[in-house]
Amino acid sequence: YGFAGRSISSMAGKVGLDYVHLPSLGIKSANRQQLVDQEDYDRLFDWYERGLVDRSDDVNTAADYVESAPSVLMCMEADPGRCHRARLAHTISVRRRIPVCHLYAS
């Protein structure tokens, strides 16, 4: 609940933040349907990370946002080890020398 673009945009706007959706940096739902164990996730995210080379402009767009304002990469998945955002964050971090901090619920 609450992860629909319109909801996030509305909530962010209420506290003076911008919400930017970059669907080109996601993974299609069909590619995530048969994931069972961490090995499956790792294979998918290895493939995803290799593909970021072909989406360099989109990665740079995300990195520009991160450099210009306090930013977060969001996903419904709570565990960074089971989400592509960790790989995207790592790629941005390496390109721009920006530290990554994963937030966990306590």
Side-chain angles (χ1 to χ4, degrees), residues 26-85:
I27 296 177
K28 293 181 180 175
S29 179
N31 294 339
R32 294 181 276 120
Q33 295 306 308
Q34 303 301 318
L35 303 176
V36 175
D37 56 24
Q38 191 60 47
E39 236 177 68
D40 291 339
Y41 282 91
D42 291 342
R43 266 193 301 277
L44 175 64
F45 299 146
D46 289 346
W47 167 83
Y48 171 78
E49 194 167 16
R50 287 189 306 273
L52 290 176
V53 172
D54 296 329
R55 290 180 271 177
S56 194
D57 289 345
D58 297 327
V59 172
N60 286 331
T61 296
D64 289 344
Y65 282 115
V66 169
E67 282 187 321
S68 68
S71 303
V72 297
L73 300 176
M74 294 176 49
C75 179
M76 291 174 56
E77 175 58 57
D79 179 357
R82 293 205 166 204
C83 183
H84 71 288
R85 74 177 179 273

Side-chain angles (χ1 to χ4, degrees), residues 25 48 52 59 62 73 84-93:
L25 293 175
Y48 171 78
L52 290 176
V59 172
L73 300 176
H84 71 288
R85 74 177 179 273
R87 300 295 182 98
L88 176 58
H90 174 76
T91 299
I92 291 170
S93 175

